[in-house]
Amino acid sequence: MMNDRPLILITNDDGIQAKGIKELIFCLRAVGDIVVFAPDGPRSGMSSAITSVAPIHYTLVKKEEGLTQYCCSGTPVDCVKLAVNEVLDRKPDLLVSGINHGTNMAICVHYSGTMGAAIEGCIFNIPSIGVSLTDTHPDADFTESCRLARKLARTVLKEGLPKGTYLNLNVPNIPRVKGMKVCKQADGRWVKEFLRMKSPAGKEVYWLTGEFQNHHPVQDDSDTVALEAGYASLVPCKIDVTDYAYLNRFKQWEIEEQ
Amino acid sequence: MMNDRPLILITNDDGIQAKGIKELIFCLRAVGDIVVFAPDGPRSGMSSAITSVAPIHYTLVKKEEGLTQYCCSGTPVDCVKLAVNEVLDRKPDLLVSGINHGTNMAICVHYSGTMGAAIEGCIFNIPSIGVSLTDTHPDADFTESCRLARKLARTVLKEGLPKGTYLNLNVPNIPRVKGMKVCKQADGRWVKEFLRMKSPAGKEVYWLTGEFQNHHPVQDDSDTVALEAGYASLVPCKIDVTDYAYLNRFKQWEIEEQ
């Protein structure tokens, strides 16, 4: 049963039925053997959430030559943990999470279940990529994002990634992307984040919405700028979030007890 | 109604009924006016998850001089977003999340709802601290962690924090902590992560568990080492997860289209 083809673990946060993961599976079959281990339904905005208060389970959905698919009751991170700990015979050569229906640029890396799965792959020392399209529609056109995801997957399989570094690829929703730019995470935040409404019972409730606002001055080499200019943005990101630039400054805060 | 006392937003991921947040509220009342905006029940391991598929709501629990408490149906990040967007009259001078029942050292910063709330505060440019005790018991002793949290809160109110930097304080579960050490996030991961069991219906299910394994060689200035030596660990962390060390190396991967 052994072969020389790379083993690619695919997951997402939109669930195994989403168009984005189906198109990704299809386009990566030429690159390696695929194991899909994805949530059994939508898990958008789940970040790196884990399920610790209840057990989770998984089901084999389909098995054919070069492609095995499972769905799981947990979060995207649960999926990666369960696949690597309990299901796969060997560590995958690559993890690709997505293709997400909607952007994960800038600080969205913190909220995104797509990126949570990529972070988890990276923690396992699996070269890991999150891929997102700036279109939230269920029937979005993934042609360009698939093409770029496949190119990037091949590059990462050939070149590897540094330990503790994962990749965040965002693709603009346009018919012909100009190319891929290596960027830094844009500085900005969401504003006008809630829509207030009344429940049928008359209770005041809040629905998350909002718009992204770049911090000014906008930096040319940031992901939001690349996307607006018609490029796909590729941000290399780190598991280690220590602020090394200020580490020594904070040292003066050390409190020694007598 | 205006006064000169700092406004402190307190939240957590164990829920408003947890001992850790109650003790934190009590010990920070001497430092400023407190608004509590916490989940209405446990949200451990929720990371930076947001609720986008359903509306959320909140309830006023208690209001007295210098202390207002709300509970909210959402995640820790939802709590911070809703408090800042819709409830508070002004931006808090400080956010403290915790005190968590259980450690959030090393890579746990990625899974932790406590730290998710601190990250969110930081995104809003509120100086933000997550505080955790290495004891998961509901009736844990928070004496030392409260004392250090109060010291740190006062320091941060006086000194401020750099934009985009938040703090991760972990306190060991010992009667007398030796002091507080400024550390970096330890390199390591969880292993043996699942306990397999049978549900009453005979279905195979998996319960998250596991133990933390430091990557070797262990680095002396990492948080896990400080905690094991009887110190509280203070890790300054960044919202911007871009891997700047490798940014130029990845530039060669840029794909230009014709």
Side-chain angles (χ1 to χ4, degrees), chain A residues 168-235:
Chain A
N168 183 10
L169 177 67
N170 278 272
V171 182
N173 179 30
I174 53 177
R176 184 72 182 158
V177 175
K178 288 183 186 165
M180 193 171 74
K181 276 207 189 300
V182 175
C183 303
K184 64 183 185 189
Q185 175 189 323
D187 186 6
R189 64 184 183 91
W190 291 84
V191 294
K192 301 176 189 165
E193 294 194 285
F194 290 97
L195 200 61
R196 183 161 53 174
M197 48 180 78
K198 291 273 187 192
S199 76
K203 193 179 178 70
E204 219 157 58
V205 298
Y206 296 82
W207 207 296
L208 197 61
T209 170
E211 52 195 65
F212 184 78
Q213 197 173 64
N214 278 299
H215 181 77
H216 286 275
V218 175
Q219 291 173 299
D220 287 343
D221 55 350
S222 62
D223 53 3
T224 54
V225 171
L227 288 163
E228 278 160 26
Y231 289 87
S233 65
L234 181 68
V235 180

Side-chain angles (χ1 to χ4, degrees), chain A residues 55-69:
Chain A
I56 58 172
H57 55 87
Y58 72 94
T59 310
L60 177 67
V61 175
K62 189 189 210 174
K63 191 171 169 61
E64 58 190 73
E65 181 67 31
L67 172 63
T68 312
Q69 299 194 50

Side-chain angles (χ1 to χ4, degrees), chain A residues 44-59 77-78 81-82 85-86 107 109-111 119-120 123-125 147-148 151-152 155-156 159-163 165-167 176-185 187-194 196-197 203-208 215 221 231 234-244 246-247 249-258, chain B residues 44-59 77-78 81-82 85-86 107 109-111 119-120 123-125 147-148 151-152 155-156 159-163 165-167 176-185 187-194 196-197 203-208 215 221 231 234-244 246-247 249-258:
Chain A
S44 281
M46 284 303 277
S47 184
S48 287
I50 50 176
T51 305
S52 56
V53 294
I56 58 172
H57 55 87
Y58 72 94
T59 310
V77 166
D78 290 337
K81 283 186 183 294
L82 196 55
N85 274 281
E86 301 288 335
I107 52 160
V109 65
H110 292 293
Y111 309 121
I119 290 171
E120 190 61 27
I123 288 171
F124 280 115
N125 289 330
R147 187 175 58 82
L148 289 165
K151 274 194 183 186
L152 186 60
T155 305
V156 170
E159 304 283 342
L161 285 176
K163 182 176 180 301
T165 299
Y166 58 97
L167 298 177
R176 184 72 182 158
V177 175
K178 288 183 186 165
M180 193 171 74
K181 276 207 189 300
V182 175
C183 303
K184 64 183 185 189
Q185 175 189 323
D187 186 6
R189 64 184 183 91
W190 291 84
V191 294
K192 301 176 189 165
E193 294 194 285
F194 290 97
R196 183 161 53 174
M197 48 180 78
K203 193 179 178 70
E204 219 157 58
V205 298
Y206 296 82
W207 207 296
L208 197 61
H215 181 77
D221 55 350
Y231 289 87
L234 181 68
V235 180
C237 305
K238 286 175 70 180
I239 294 300
D240 180 0
V241 296
T242 306
D243 184 355
Y244 287 99
Y246 284 95
L247 206 57
R249 173 175 155 185
F250 286 111
K251 288 258 184 203
Q252 68 195 12
W253 290 12
E254 287 191 359
I255 300 165
E256 299 288 339
E257 305 293 323
Q258 300 312 319
Chain B
S44 280
M46 285 302 277
S47 184
S48 288
I50 51 176
T51 306
S52 57
V53 295
I56 58 172
H57 55 88
Y58 72 94
T59 310
V77 166
D78 290 337
K81 283 185 182 296
L82 196 55
N85 274 281
E86 301 288 336
I107 52 162
V109 65
H110 292 293
Y111 308 122
I119 291 171
E120 189 61 27
I123 288 171
F124 279 116
N125 289 330
R147 186 174 61 81
L148 290 165
K151 273 194 183 186
L152 186 61
T155 306
V156 170
E159 305 283 342
L161 285 176
K163 181 177 180 303
T165 299
Y166 57 98
L167 299 178
R176 184 72 184 159
V177 175
K178 288 184 188 164
M180 193 171 73
K181 275 205 188 305
V182 174
C183 304
K184 65 183 186 190
Q185 175 189 325
D187 185 8
R189 66 183 182 90
W190 292 84
V191 295
K192 301 175 190 166
E193 293 195 285
F194 289 97
R196 185 162 51 175
M197 49 181 76
K203 194 180 176 72
E204 218 157 57
V205 298
Y206 296 82
W207 207 297
L208 197 61
H215 181 76
D221 55 350
Y231 290 88
L234 181 68
V235 180
C237 304
K238 287 175 70 180
I239 294 300
D240 181 359
V241 297
T242 306
D243 184 355
Y244 288 100
Y246 284 94
L247 206 57
R249 173 176 155 185
F250 287 110
K251 289 258 184 203
Q252 69 195 12
W253 289 12
E254 286 190 0
I255 300 164
E256 299 287 339
E257 305 293 324
Q258 300 311 318

Side-chain angles (χ1 to χ4, degrees), chain B residues 19-59:
Chain B
K19 184 179 178 188
I21 195 167
K22 288 182 180 169
E23 303 255 325
L24 180 65
I25 294 163
F26 183 77
C27 92
L28 289 185
R29 290 201 66 174
V31 183
D33 284 355
I34 310 283
V35 174
V36 179
F37 206 98
D40 57 17
R43 304 286 191 283
S44 280
M46 285 302 277
S47 184
S48 288
I50 51 176
T51 306
S52 57
V53 295
I56 58 172
H57 55 88
Y58 72 94
T59 310

Side-chain angles (χ1 to χ4, degrees), chain B residues 13 16 18-19 54 59 85 116 135 169 176 182 195 227 233 245 257:
Chain B
D13 76 352
I16 197 160
K19 184 179 178 188
T59 310
N85 274 281
D135 186 345
L169 176 67
R176 184 72 184 159
V182 174
L195 199 61
L227 288 163
S233 64
E257 305 293 324

